[in-house]
Amino acid sequence: MAVPVTTDAARLAPVEFTSAEHAAAFIEARCLDDGPVGQVGLEIEAHCFDLDDPLRRPGWDEISEVIASVPALPGDSRITVEPGGAVELSGPPTDGPSAATAALLADRAVLRAQFERHGLGLVLLGADPVRPTQRVNPGPRYQAMEAFFAASGSAEPGAAMMTSTASVQVNLDAGPRDGWAQRVRLAHALGPTMIAITANSPMLGGRFTGWKSSRQRVWGQLDSARCGPVLGADGDDPASDWARYALRAPVMLVNTPDAVPVTNWVPFADWADGRAVLGGRRPSEADLEYHLTTLFPPVRPRRWLEIRYLDSVPDALWPAVVFMLTTLLDDPEAAAIATEATAPVATAWDRAARIGLSDRRLQDAALACVSAAAERAPSDLAESMGRLTRSVQEGRCPADDFADHVVGHGIASAMSQLVKGEL
């Protein structure tokens, strides 16, 4: 086949959208991949603390120096640093939750040991309990995000989201096309129940907030056009729902080529339709791809499903949580149980974050879901799954354990033990 000769300029010229409909078609065609289920990717964020002074926030250069000294990770995870200095491990996709968990546990052990050699601890909590918000990552993206949140009247929750929250993120295949609607609906419906089970952030900024998951509360304080659930009225067409969501969401940043904040409310649809002009042009495919990275719904389509609603929980629990969530979505019989169990609480996002399993309907859903997962758990997960099951049966979550320790021993003692790995 003859290949036409093109100039570099023509080959590299960005494709600009001519309308919102043009942009919607681009999103719908690329948001989910048709295929089997089974691959699992994991990301886990840990707050970085000084072992001797938990109130001090380690700086960018200090954290970067430690990361530069980390030996090769056996599970091949990528290390990145969040705006407030939290350290994230992102593992490559593997076949099933067991392999993904084993790889990330091995990488986390190496990373923790190296940080401890430098006097730093990596703590798994949904929110930083004691330190005020402060950005240490100097990246221009995060500087622009700060400016956007300040201009939109959400400076405080925006800063807390960027610098004081941490999660365990589970990435799963989208699955076969004819099952997308059911799968995406269940991923959302599981949200409140899984939040109630994993809530692990009762404190923020040095005080109890009155919420089991202060992390989820922070996300709820940000605009729902960017951080709310994606599902439309019936959830029958997740690709169209995602396109509609993305086009209605305001543009946060424009690369010109540096990240420049958009300080007025401009839905992406208005930019694509030419009703608003940003950067002196219509948006390109690259602009839209970047815009999608600034949207933070609890379930985000990225060809796969990126499930973002879990608090960061201790090493003793998160392997069971990952197996549970994966099983409830990937195993057809477990998915049927979860669909029925979560129906009464499928939209109880705030209630789950505020009172967790103290809500009887949420505990009933959690009991059915954790039982379905426990029946299918491999033997090497028995201890972690046993702990998770007992916690649900008692109507407790990790936030209760941490809060009890703070009340019983004081915040200084609790933080000292937590940072040193004694809790």
Side-chain angles (χ1 to χ4, degrees):
M1 178 184 294
V3 178
V5 176
T6 59
T7 65
D8 287 344
R11 187 167 57 246
L12 298 177
V15 176
E16 293 187 354
F17 293 108
T18 58
S19 67
E21 288 77 13
H22 185 190
F26 180 88
I27 296 170
E28 291 176 19
R30 292 163 174 79
C31 70
L32 295 172
D33 281 345
D34 183 13
V37 301
Q39 292 276 97
V40 179
L42 300 178
E43 301 175 31
I44 190 164
E45 297 167 337
H47 300 286
C48 183
F49 285 92
D50 187 316
L51 292 175
D52 296 321
D53 182 8
L55 293 179
R56 182 180 78 86
R57 187 182 293 272
W60 173 253
D61 291 342
E62 184 178 2
I63 295 171
S64 298
E65 181 180 350
V66 179
I67 291 175
S69 71
V70 174
L73 297 178
D76 203 28
S77 292
R78 185 168 57 97
I79 307 170
T80 55
V81 182
E82 295 299 302
V87 179
E88 178 177 273
L89 279 176
S90 302
T94 65
D95 291 329
S98 294
T101 295
L104 203 63
L105 281 170
D107 289 353
R108 179 162 155 75
V110 173
L111 190 69
R112 285 184 64 187
Q114 192 66 10
F115 269 72
E116 286 171 2
R117 292 187 188 99
H118 289 77
L120 302 176
L122 297 176
V123 175
L124 300 180
L125 274 174
D128 186 330
V130 291
R131 297 177 300 193
T133 59
Q134 180 188 350
R135 178 175 57 83
V136 300
N137 188 324
R141 172 183 169 97
Y142 300 125
Q143 294 179 42
M145 286 177 70
E146 275 186 340
F148 172 87
F149 286 128
S152 62
S154 53
E156 185 175 344
M161 179 273 283
M162 288 198 299
T163 71
S164 297
T165 63
S167 70
V168 174
Q169 185 173 296
V170 182
N171 302 314
L172 302 177
D173 290 315
R177 182 183 298 272
D178 61 5
W180 283 354
Q182 182 179 1
R183 186 166 173 80
V184 172
R185 277 198 300 267
L186 180 55
H188 281 82
L190 279 164
T193 298
M194 295 303 301
I195 287 168
I197 291 171
T198 63
N200 191 32
S201 47
M203 297 184 67
L204 185 66
R207 64 180 182 86
F208 285 103
T209 64
W211 292 60
K212 304 279 189 181
S213 176
S214 300
R215 174 185 176 273
Q216 183 64 25
R217 182 195 184 204
V218 164
W219 284 98
Q221 291 173 323
L222 296 169
D223 66 86
S224 60
R226 184 177 306 281
C227 301
V230 170
L231 283 186
D234 53 26
D236 287 339
D237 187 352
S240 293
D241 286 343
W242 179 229
R244 188 179 305 110
Y245 183 102
L247 293 174
R248 289 176 176 174
V251 180
M252 175 183 274
L253 315 172
V254 175
N255 282 324
T256 60
D258 296 326
V260 177
V262 178
T263 54
N264 53 329
W265 189 276
V266 179
F268 194 92
D270 286 1
W271 190 16
D273 276 335
R275 290 191 296 270
V277 176
L278 301 175
R281 54 180 168 77
R282 291 280 185 104
S284 67
E285 293 178 356
D287 290 316
L288 179 52
E289 294 280 13
Y290 193 80
H291 172 66
L292 297 178
T293 72
T294 70
L295 307 181
F296 310 112
V299 180
R300 182 165 66 175
R302 295 192 65 187
R303 298 188 182 272
W304 60 92
L305 295 182
E306 186 181 82
I307 299 175
R308 307 170 49 84
Y309 46 61
L310 303 173
D311 272 15
S312 194
V313 295
D315 286 314
L317 280 181
W318 70 255
V321 169
V322 167
F323 179 84
M324 177 180 173
L325 183 57
T326 303
T327 299
L328 295 176
L329 283 162
D330 283 3
D331 182 289
E333 291 182 2
I337 293 170
T339 298
E340 181 179 357
T342 59
V345 291
T347 59
W349 298 89
D350 282 354
R351 189 165 182 79
R354 190 170 63 252
I355 66 173
L357 297 178
S358 298
D359 181 278
R360 184 63 196 179
R361 295 194 306 164
L362 282 163
Q363 189 186 19
D364 287 345
L367 284 167
C369 289
V370 78
S371 297
E375 290 173 1
R376 294 161 173 79
S379 57
D380 60 358
L381 204 60
E383 184 176 351
S384 183
M385 187 59 72
R387 289 176 66 120
L388 184 64
T389 301
R390 288 191 298 274
S391 179
V392 172
Q393 289 171 340
E394 295 167 2
R396 292 175 63 84
C397 59
D400 296 315
D401 298 332
F402 180 65
D404 285 351
H405 202 86
V406 171
V407 171
H409 303 279
I411 185 62
S413 172
M415 287 305 302
S416 178
Q417 290 182 271
L418 185 69
V419 170
K420 293 175 181 178
E422 298 169 0
L423 274 187

